[in-house]
Amino acid sequence: MNVFVVGIGLIGGSFAKDIKRVRPNVRIFGVDTNERHLEEALSLSLIDEKADYSRLAEADFVIVSIPVDVMVRELPIILEAINEDTIVMDAGSTKSLICKTLENHPNRRNYLACHPIAGTEFSGPSAAIEGLYQGKTNIICEIEKTAFKQQERALELFQQLGMRIRYMNPEAHDKHIAYVSHLSHISSFMLGKTVIDKERNERDIFDMAGSGFESTVRLAKSSPAMWTPIFKQNRENVIETLGEYIGNLKLFKKMLEEDDYEGIYNEMCNTNRIKEILNGIPLNKQ
Amino acid sequence: MNVFVVGIGLIGGSFAKDIKRVRPNVRIFGVDTNERHLEEALSLSLIDEKADYSRLAEADFVIVSIPVDVMVRELPIILEAINEDTIVMDAGSTKSLICKTLENHPNRRNYLACHPIAGTEFSGPSAAIEGLYQGKTNIICEIEKTAFKQQERALELFQQLGMRIRYMNPEAHDKHIAYVSHLSHISSFMLGKTVIDKERNERDIFDMAGSGFESTVRLAKSSPAMWTPIFKQNRENVIETLGEYIGNLKLFKKMLEEDDYEGIYNEMCNTNRIKEILNGIPLNKQ
């Protein structure tokens, strides 16, 4: 089996690692505009050789893991270059614009719209980790638009990688993901900003930071090049969730200003049930 | 050595575990209004026996780890009941009101105002963990108001537990800690609330949540009984930091509304330097 990974970073590189494990005879081709990343991927044995689009007709499986703005530009070109049996899947954090862009593509049936809910705050080939997808959810959109044979082969691979599958339409995906992923990133980035802005004058502040602070700002280490286009493509949903979050923070501030400690206590008690909810989430073990 | 732990939960219980490790001949006495916690602490061997204030004169060291509102009420009583050589330390997340309450106490010199920056989102005796304080910062306020002999003995113990010491005045402590701890908790609680409120109508949403979401809402599992009085005692500082945080979130929302993606990208790049800052934070290994 020939697998082409377009964009060989954390996501694509982790797919390469796991596919090599479950399909020992696979040959992995790396495609990337970043020559340094390609060399790194080769030296880490994530890929067997470097390639470009001219060889895409040799591909059985193409995994596209690049920023979502580049995805919209590149996926139509990739779909042109494949053979009739190739499966092309993406790993984009947004789905509406990507699916819309490809809806009338002549090879739409070779494409499977995916969002594997997995990752870390790091990026690049050296961030790739084995077993990243074990037990994680892979959201597939518009499954009915993918040819049956391609569906079947992709699902077989996902099962081997240990992924749970959920089907969803692109609009529902983008709406929900704004709450459970995009908002967390903004919350984290702005928390980091608030504290860093303060720290300019008060150098000692970070001596006082503990693991709770680290946990809430962890996502502020994420790649701006990857996240800016995600926020752009999911603009409406992100604005809505952000508005609700700001509203809740204002409510908390108002309760504090009005010395309504019973209200504060009750809000926290109600939110404590996040414990049970989180118990259902498959997490990275690292 | 006789150590009394008043409030035998995560913080007090973890002190008990570590002190037993470094001082094998210690005898640990547990004092708690929660009889179930006392029994649990006994069965977990966190304490050697249950006790009450009537035996405080036997104490060499008293660790007070109870909610900060109860602290303000109980510390003066505890300081009355000790002997002239006893050291009383607290582990409260606020320092100004506690120090102010004790400033004219006849036994003020037996008291050491501490805030060990360590913990998890869990609570109760079963949450106690060995090595919690290893490599963590212990902030000590108004060191000059504690008798030299007591200072010396306390610092020796902290060193054995592997703690780094920072000295600070109570007002600076409360101001800085609002940024690096109290704000993280509110951010996390309100993020949890925003998503839970949505989830009432959309059950599937949590299938989509990954480790990033888990990380940002982890602190929303924290105890409301412990955190409500912290926010109350540090009201002014928390209101200020919360105002700045809301301002930054509004700024982000405005950039999104105005399609200022360059601005968004730059904000994220500037905040990425949290990476280097976080590298300096001693974290829980679990």
Side-chain angles (χ1 to χ4, degrees):
Chain A
M1 183 169 81
N2 288 339
V3 172
F4 280 64
V5 179
V6 181
I8 187 82
L10 160 69
I11 296 299
S14 299
F15 267 117
K17 277 198 166 184
D18 276 7
I19 293 174
K20 279 202 165 187
R21 186 169 45 84
V22 300
R23 304 267 174 104
N25 295 325
V26 75
R27 188 152 185 88
I28 310 252
F29 298 80
V31 184
D32 210 305
T33 51
N34 184 328
E35 188 60 35
R36 198 173 52 78
H37 277 186
L38 276 177
E39 290 301 332
E40 213 177 322
L42 264 177
S43 72
L44 292 165
S45 298
L46 293 178
I47 60 173
D48 297 304
E49 60 180 288
K50 299 191 272 183
D52 56 38
Y53 287 179
S54 68
R55 294 185 65 186
L56 276 173
E58 299 170 44
D60 297 295
F61 214 103
V62 184
I63 296 167
V64 189
S65 42
I66 53 182
V68 292
D69 54 339
V70 192
M71 197 89 86
V72 167
R73 189 186 69 209
E74 298 297 311
L75 273 174
I77 305 170
I78 292 166
L79 276 171
E80 284 292 337
I82 57 173
N83 71 61
E84 61 180 346
D85 291 323
T86 309
I87 309 161
V88 177
M89 69 162 276
D90 76 315
S93 296
T94 53
K95 288 272 97 33
S96 295
L97 184 62
I98 296 171
C99 286
K100 184 112 191 85
T101 304
L102 296 175
E103 69 181 339
N104 297 317
H105 195 286
N107 295 330
R108 173 65 184 84
R109 289 169 63 75
N110 294 74
Y111 166 67
L112 189 66
C114 296
H115 180 193
I117 311 285
T120 71
E121 67 275 30
F122 304 110
S123 45
S126 61
I129 43 184
E130 206 174 299
L132 178 64
Y133 302 105
Q134 181 64 45
K136 304 296 165 55
T137 301
N138 190 5
I139 297 170
I140 300 182
C141 294
E142 298 185 331
I143 182 78
E144 71 287 353
K145 296 194 178 172
T146 306
F148 184 70
K149 204 165 65 181
Q150 268 78 351
Q151 286 180 30
E152 208 173 35
R153 281 165 51 211
L155 289 173
E156 195 189 350
L157 182 64
F158 297 152
Q159 192 181 27
Q160 280 188 291
L161 300 182
M163 305 190 89
R164 314 187 309 167
I165 306 299
R166 290 287 177 279
Y167 299 99
M168 209 170 265
N169 70 52
E171 292 70 32
H173 168 277
D174 285 6
K175 191 180 157 192
H176 292 326
I177 207 74
Y179 283 94
V180 291
S181 168
H182 303 176
L183 181 59
S184 286
H185 282 79
I186 298 171
S187 147
S188 204
F189 267 106
M190 290 302 101
L191 187 65
K193 177 184 163 66
T194 306
V195 178
I196 285 176
D197 281 356
K198 200 69 190 179
E199 190 257 350
R200 284 204 180 120
N201 303 316
E202 328 254 17
R203 299 294 307 174
D204 285 346
I205 195 168
F206 290 104
D207 269 348
M208 303 177 72
S211 61
F213 178 69
E214 202 279 340
S215 180
T216 40
V217 298
R218 179 169 75 85
L219 298 179
K221 302 178 193 174
S222 304
S223 157
M226 185 182 130
W227 279 94
T228 305
I230 293 174
F231 296 139
K232 183 175 178 180
Q233 284 192 18
N234 206 18
R235 182 179 177 276
E236 276 71 32
N237 288 313
V238 172
I239 288 173
E240 188 186 326
T241 61
L242 199 45
E244 289 171 21
Y245 181 49
I246 292 169
N248 283 325
L249 288 164
K250 280 182 173 171
L251 175 82
F252 194 98
K253 184 162 171 274
K254 187 161 170 280
M255 288 191 294
L256 207 48
E257 284 161 347
E258 293 172 354
D259 293 308
D260 177 11
Y261 301 108
E262 201 186 319
I264 285 175
Y265 179 84
N266 290 336
E267 281 294 354
M268 289 198 282
C269 284
N270 289 337
T271 306
N272 265 174
R273 73 186 182 88
I274 200 86
K275 281 179 207 172
E276 287 79 56
I277 294 167
L278 289 174
N279 282 339
I281 299 181
L283 301 173
N284 286 330
K285 290 294 178 294
Q286 2 112 51
Chain B
M1 182 169 82
N2 288 338
V3 172
F4 280 63
V5 179
V6 181
I8 187 83
L10 161 68
I11 296 299
S14 298
F15 267 117
K17 276 199 166 186
D18 275 7
I19 293 174
K20 278 203 166 188
R21 187 169 46 83
V22 301
R23 303 267 175 103
N25 295 325
V26 74
R27 187 152 186 88
I28 311 252
F29 298 77
V31 183
D32 210 305
T33 51
N34 184 328
E35 188 61 34
R36 198 173 53 76
H37 277 186
L38 275 177
E39 289 300 332
E40 214 177 320
L42 264 177
S43 71
L44 292 165
S45 298
L46 293 179
I47 60 173
D48 296 303
E49 61 179 287
K50 299 191 272 182
D52 56 37
Y53 287 180
S54 68
R55 294 185 64 186
L56 276 173
E58 299 170 43
D60 296 295
F61 214 104
V62 183
I63 296 167
V64 188
S65 42
I66 53 182
V68 292
D69 54 339
V70 191
M71 197 88 87
V72 168
R73 189 186 70 209
E74 297 298 312
L75 272 175
I77 305 170
I78 292 166
L79 276 173
E80 284 292 336
I82 57 174
N83 71 63
E84 61 181 346
D85 291 323
T86 309
I87 309 161
V88 177
M89 68 162 277
D90 77 316
S93 295
T94 54
K95 288 271 97 33
S96 295
L97 184 62
I98 295 171
C99 287
K100 184 113 191 85
T101 304
L102 296 175
E103 68 181 341
N104 297 316
H105 195 287
N107 295 330
R108 172 66 185 84
R109 289 169 61 75
N110 294 76
Y111 166 67
L112 189 66
C114 296
H115 180 193
I117 311 286
T120 71
E121 67 275 29
F122 304 110
S123 45
S126 61
I129 43 184
E130 206 173 299
L132 177 65
Y133 302 105
Q134 181 64 46
K136 303 297 165 54
T137 302
N138 190 5
I139 298 170
I140 300 183
C141 294
E142 299 185 328
I143 183 76
E144 71 287 354
K145 295 194 178 171
T146 306
F148 184 70
K149 203 166 65 180
Q150 268 78 351
Q151 285 180 31
E152 208 174 35
R153 281 164 52 210
L155 289 173
E156 194 190 352
L157 181 65
F158 298 152
Q159 192 182 28
Q160 279 188 291
L161 300 182
M163 306 190 89
R164 312 187 310 165
I165 306 299
R166 290 287 177 280
Y167 299 99
M168 208 170 266
N169 70 52
E171 292 70 33
H173 168 277
D174 285 6
K175 190 178 159 194
H176 292 327
I177 207 73
Y179 282 93
V180 291
S181 168
H182 302 176
L183 181 59
S184 285
H185 282 78
I186 297 171
S187 148
S188 203
F189 266 107
M190 290 303 100
L191 188 66
K193 177 184 162 66
T194 305
V195 178
I196 285 176
D197 281 356
K198 201 68 191 177
E199 189 256 351
R200 282 202 183 119
N201 303 315
E202 327 255 16
R203 299 294 309 174
D204 285 347
I205 195 169
F206 290 105
D207 269 349
M208 302 177 70
S211 60
F213 178 69
E214 202 280 341
S215 179
T216 40
V217 297
R218 178 168 75 84
L219 297 180
K221 302 177 192 173
S222 303
S223 157
M226 185 182 130
W227 279 94
T228 305
I230 292 173
F231 296 139
K232 184 175 178 180
Q233 283 192 17
N234 207 18
R235 183 179 176 276
E236 276 70 34
N237 289 312
V238 171
I239 288 173
E240 189 187 323
T241 62
L242 199 45
E244 288 171 22
Y245 182 49
I246 292 170
N248 284 325
L249 287 165
K250 280 183 173 170
L251 176 81
F252 194 98
K253 184 163 172 272
K254 186 160 171 280
M255 289 190 295
L256 206 48
E257 283 162 347
E258 292 172 354
D259 292 309
D260 177 12
Y261 301 109
E262 200 186 319
I264 286 175
Y265 179 84
N266 290 336
E267 282 293 354
M268 290 197 283
C269 285
N270 289 336
T271 307
N272 264 175
R273 73 186 181 89
I274 200 87
K275 280 179 206 171
E276 287 78 57
I277 294 168
L278 289 174
N279 283 340
I281 299 181
L283 301 173
N284 286 332
K285 290 294 177 294
Q286 0 113 50

